[in-house]
Amino acid sequence: EDQVTQSPEALRLQEGESSSLNCSYTVSGLRGLFWYRQDPGKGPEFLFTLYSAGEEKEKERLKATLTKKESFLHITAPKPEDSATYLCAVQSQTGANSKLTFGKGITLSVRP
Amino acid sequence: KAGVTQTPRYLIKTRGQQVTLSCSPISGHRSVSWYQQTPGQGLQFLFEYFSETQRNKGNFPGRFSGRQFSNSRSEMNVSTLELGDSALYLCASSLFGPSSYNEQFFGPGTRLTVL
């Protein structure tokens, strides 16, 4: 069974204090790893897709990387508006179809 | 381009009742997935529909069902509601079917409270 573990559960940063969020996964036949951002009371917002080990993607202050066992979401010089829950999900192959398994998320708080 | 829309946004029901939630995907998207999100369990996959056919199903009881129409809109039904069904129900649409690499785009969710 596919498993996704995100750590830490919660992270509090000072504005400008860079850090990384971890997503460890166990999956048979990884087809893609996705990062989402979710604000309170809203649906998850798509950030990145990573398909193979070594791949990196960047968007503003965020950079996502992927290895064979884990992914990191690096946040450089975060701002208070980066406060949100960050979700990681893996897409695996099941027969002719694929399915998405989510981690429980990391709640990030950035203080001004 | 309009995003995924879900109606209603909020629902309050009592135990034993049934409820129907609606989801309209992004125009041109043919796949719709449903998820249940609770603080304790996180996001859990319910089912996925593509071309009006259920393609994937999560580990939920048969009280949870869904369907997809020819215009790709989808509905989810929960019968005989239980207190534990209180959750945020999220719908996500994607361009291709479940056999392809596919980003999913989420709607704002329906907050269901069962009293």
Side-chain angles (χ1 to χ4, degrees), chain A residues 31 36 38 49 97-98 104, chain B residues 37 40 55-56 98-99 104:
Chain A
R31 304 204 67 177
Y36 288 85
Q38 186 174 24
T49 308
N97 298 317
S98 63
K104 293 192 175 182
Chain B
Q37 187 175 34
R55 299 301 181 100
N56 269 321
S99 61
Q104 294 188 358

Side-chain angles (χ1 to χ4, degrees), chain B residues 53-74:
Chain B
T53 303
Q54 187 181 94
R55 299 301 181 100
N56 269 321
K57 191 176 189 304
N59 297 324
F60 278 81
R63 300 185 297 107
F64 292 82
S65 63
R67 59 177 175 168
Q68 187 181 34
F69 302 96
S70 58
N71 61 359
S72 295
R73 192 177 69 85
S74 177

